[in-house]
Amino acid sequence: MGAFFRNSIFAGAALTLASYEIGQIIRKKYRSALFHPLFLASVIVILILKIFQIEYEDYFRSARYISFYLTPATVCLALPLYDQLHLLKRNARAAAAGIMSGTLTSFLSVYLLARWFRLSRQEYATLLPKSITTAIGIEISEELGGIISVTTAVILMSGIFGSLMA
């Protein structure tokens, strides 16, 4: 099975998309926030990689097209926001206050936890972009010298936890 992933350019993408679809089905069936499709897809992919002893590098190489399209998909999120520009302008001070307080809280919490746990600069750079989109977080982590795969996991966990709390 590992050789299949090593030689395929889309096997990882297919596995990822199929796992997400299974996560969607499970969430619809049980209607619980605990069954977040992104979380379930991650668990399914990890289990399959472990069970069939597929190297992560082989999986990622064949799933890279999903990462490639992550940035344009993030940019597409701006379109609905642009449609509501009149609301943003009307509530500019509240929006700015929310953005500033969220940003400061995120940076301060990571900084204090990094100091408290005596994390290295690389570990701090890995955790710093935890509260932004994956596409932008990966770029920031890479630029600062963080561990990109851990940054991705932290961003996903942060997003899933936030949606569970909401």
Side-chain angles (χ1 to χ4, degrees):
M1 185 65 96
F4 175 71
F5 273 80
R6 219 176 351 272
N7 297 323
S8 173
I9 61 171
F10 292 116
L15 173 61
T16 302
L17 294 174
S19 298
Y20 185 79
E21 191 60 35
I22 292 169
Q24 289 277 62
I25 292 167
I26 292 171
R27 182 172 189 173
K28 285 179 186 173
K29 181 174 180 164
Y30 294 104
R31 298 194 182 278
S32 172
L34 296 175
F35 294 116
H36 193 284
L38 192 55
F39 172 71
L40 292 174
S42 299
V43 170
I44 292 167
V45 168
I46 290 168
L47 286 173
I48 289 173
L49 295 181
K50 282 293 196 190
I51 290 169
F52 293 104
Q53 298 178 350
I54 300 166
E55 293 293 323
Y56 176 77
E57 291 77 19
D58 296 333
Y59 159 76
F60 185 75
R61 193 175 313 110
S62 65
R64 68 180 174 260
Y65 298 104
I66 292 176
S67 295
F68 176 76
Y69 287 110
L70 200 55
T71 303
T74 302
V75 172
C76 288
L77 293 174
L79 295 175
L81 194 60
Y82 180 75
D83 289 340
Q84 301 298 320
L85 190 59
H86 64 283
L87 278 174
L88 281 174
K89 286 180 179 178
R90 192 173 347 143
N91 299 298
R93 286 176 33 183
I99 291 169
M100 291 299 291
S101 63
T103 302
L104 286 173
T105 301
S106 177
F107 285 138
L108 191 59
S109 65
V110 171
Y111 176 76
L112 291 175
L113 287 171
R115 295 285 305 231
W116 189 21
F117 289 109
R118 295 180 177 89
L119 299 181
S120 69
R121 184 184 185 293
Q122 182 184 35
E123 293 164 332
Y124 174 69
T126 299
L127 297 176
L128 189 61
K130 72 170 182 56
S131 296
I132 57 178
T133 65
T134 307
I136 297 169
I138 288 171
E139 295 297 322
I140 290 174
S141 179
E142 187 174 40
E143 182 75 27
L144 296 175
I147 305 165
I148 296 169
S149 57
V150 176
T151 298
T152 304
V154 168
I155 291 170
L156 291 176
M157 288 189 307
S158 180
I160 291 169
F161 181 74
S163 71
L164 287 174
M165 293 295 102

